[in-house]
Amino acid sequence: MRIRDDYRSLTGQEKAAIILLSLGEEVAAKLFALMGDDEIKELSQTMAGLGTVNSSIIERLIVEFADQLSATGSLMGTFDSTERLLSKVLDKNRMAEIMDDIRGPAGRTMWDKLGNVNEGVLGNYLKNEYPQTVSVILSKIRSDHAARVLSTLPEAFAMEVVMRMLRMETVQKDVLDDIERVLRNEFMSNLAKTNRKDTHEMMAEIFNSLDRQTEARFTVALEERNRDSAEKIKALMFKFEDLSKLDPSGVQTLLRAIDKSKLAVALKGAKEELRDLFLSNMSERAGKMLKEEIEALGPVRGKDVAEAQTAMVNTAKELAAKDEIVISKGAGGEDDLIY
């Protein structure tokens, strides 16, 4: 049997396996109880293939582990720190699978996780599956949750599922494994991705809550460090639809300042309420001409509409920065004002 005596050749999994073996059966059993089946299998396979580990390696590993833990002072676990750690131990595909799993709904098993998915979301996915598959899935989750999911399905489809459930016999393990795999790879993976919150969106929400001077100070500082991120955050903070919060005076001020050649294109892609807001603050003749110009445009590329709307938003920002217009979040005091 080989003897492991080269510390530098150890992988992350091998280090974890050695630590667990060093802790003794009682402590290792408690740690295994906190792991998933896949983690236990992988660590167990690594343990079985370790061979004899030199005592000097064990001592060095434990000392290094203790030093890192004590030097940390405190720990903060996040999705990003966990992902970085896993990337050093697992291959890219396995790491992505685990991160999608933990970012998704909570639960130790697939059926526990499904039980924590909103019934509307789950029902919307299941309505495109075979009734037999849906009947198996609903039979595996809590009855109260299954009832809510069933009520979201089209009536004829739901009754077909009910009939399949009434006639259901024991489901073979390989069939159940196939269903679990599909759910994990298709539904849970996509659900986890849609649940991820964009970091720029998160910061835009925080910046929106700052007072004007603080927000401006932070934005300038961020522009110096990362202009792309600063621009993304500014775009998320102020959208074209936010112009609907302008009062009549603000609309008229903006109309005088914007590039008139872009107005029709921008309003072509606007909601009716926002379009009416601008038209109602123009003279009857000017409003009629703008309507005719919008209709005469015909189909317009989405890219052109977005560029025209962005130009209007940038002009509105400039006017707001000079206190010439104010955009309010709604009724309330001065704290409700943003730009």
Side-chain angles (χ1 to χ4, degrees):
M1 182 178 288
R2 63 176 179 151
I3 299 177
R4 304 297 297 270
D5 56 7
D6 184 2
Y7 184 83
R8 292 171 299 179
S9 68
L10 292 177
T11 66
Q13 274 196 334
E14 287 174 335
K15 290 181 180 180
I18 293 170
I19 287 285
L20 280 171
L21 285 170
S22 303
L23 292 173
E25 294 180 1
E26 187 176 343
V27 176
K30 291 179 180 178
L31 292 173
F32 272 132
L34 300 173
M35 301 179 192
D37 290 345
D38 291 339
E39 293 172 308
I40 294 173
K41 288 177 184 177
E42 288 177 10
L43 272 174
S44 299
Q45 288 174 344
T46 304
M47 285 178 179
L50 278 176
T52 302
V53 181
N54 192 297
S55 61
S56 63
I57 286 186
I58 299 174
E59 290 175 8
R60 181 175 174 181
L61 180 57
I62 292 175
V63 169
E64 181 184 276
F65 178 73
D67 286 346
Q68 288 180 351
L69 193 62
S70 60
T72 303
S74 61
L75 295 172
M76 183 176 71
T78 65
F79 284 123
D80 289 338
S81 63
T82 302
E83 191 167 9
R84 284 195 301 272
L85 176 62
L86 290 178
S87 68
K88 299 181 185 301
V89 180
L90 304 175
D91 64 73
K92 186 176 180 181
N93 291 335
R94 180 65 179 133
M95 179 199 71
E97 181 182 327
I98 290 175
M99 290 307 300
D100 283 345
D101 200 24
I102 64 176
R103 276 192 170 102
R108 290 187 64 82
T109 71
M110 174 59 63
W111 313 113
D112 291 336
K113 292 178 182 295
L114 281 182
N116 290 313
V117 175
N118 175 274
E119 59 267 20
V121 174
L122 183 53
N124 191 53
Y125 170 77
L126 293 180
K127 70 181 182 182
N128 298 313
E129 296 296 312
Y130 291 111
Q132 185 64 36
T133 302
V134 178
S135 68
V136 173
I137 293 171
L138 294 188
S139 71
K140 295 290 291 182
I141 64 177
R142 297 191 321 270
S143 57
D144 60 327
H145 192 54
R148 291 193 294 271
V149 173
L150 196 64
S151 67
T152 68
L153 300 174
E155 187 172 345
F157 183 81
M159 286 309 302
E160 183 64 28
V161 171
V162 169
M163 295 306 295
R164 299 296 180 100
M165 293 179 75
L166 288 172
R167 297 193 298 266
M168 184 180 295
E169 298 178 356
T170 303
V171 181
Q172 294 180 349
K173 187 179 185 303
D174 59 339
V175 174
L176 206 56
D177 289 344
D178 284 342
I179 292 175
E180 282 195 56
R181 187 177 64 255
V182 172
L183 284 170
R184 183 182 301 279
N185 294 342
E186 294 184 6
F187 179 62
M188 285 300 181
S189 178
N190 289 333
L191 186 63
K193 289 172 184 174
T194 57
N195 284 340
R196 297 183 190 184
K197 191 170 188 178
D198 180 74
T199 54
H200 292 93
E201 182 180 350
M202 176 184 70
M203 289 310 305
E205 292 176 1
I206 293 174
F207 275 36
N208 268 334
S209 300
L210 297 172
D211 63 78
R212 187 179 302 178
Q213 279 118 345
T214 304
E215 183 268 317
R217 181 161 50 86
F218 279 20
T219 300
V220 170
L222 183 59
E223 284 175 338
E224 294 175 354
R225 295 191 177 198
N226 191 327
R227 178 167 290 277
D228 287 344
S229 287
E231 291 301 321
K232 287 178 183 177
I233 290 171
K234 284 195 290 185
L236 287 166
M237 286 177 65
F238 193 105
K239 300 182 185 297
F240 180 74
E241 289 74 20
D242 293 330
L243 295 177
S244 63
K245 300 165 188 173
L246 286 170
D247 59 20
S249 174
V251 174
Q252 292 160 19
T253 300
L254 180 59
L255 282 170
R256 289 193 295 269
I258 59 176
D259 181 348
K260 299 300 187 294
S261 65
K262 296 184 180 295
L263 181 59
V265 177
L267 293 182
K268 176 79 175 179
K271 292 181 179 179
E272 187 176 349
E273 296 83 358
L274 184 54
R275 189 185 299 180
D276 289 344
L277 175 64
F278 280 87
L279 290 171
S280 64
N281 280 282
M282 303 172 73
S283 67
E284 184 176 348
R285 178 174 173 274
K288 183 179 179 181
M289 289 176 63
L290 179 59
K291 278 184 178 180
E292 291 173 352
E293 187 178 353
I294 292 173
E295 291 171 359
L297 285 173
V300 180
R301 290 192 309 168
K303 179 183 178 182
D304 293 336
V305 171
E307 288 178 353
Q309 292 181 349
T310 298
M312 286 185 65
V313 166
N314 288 338
T315 301
K317 284 182 179 179
E318 294 170 4
L319 293 171
K322 294 185 287 187
D323 288 330
E324 294 183 23
I325 64 173
V326 170
I327 299 177
S328 175
K329 289 181 178 178
E334 61 183 6
D335 290 337
D336 289 327
L337 300 180
I338 63 169
Y339 78 99

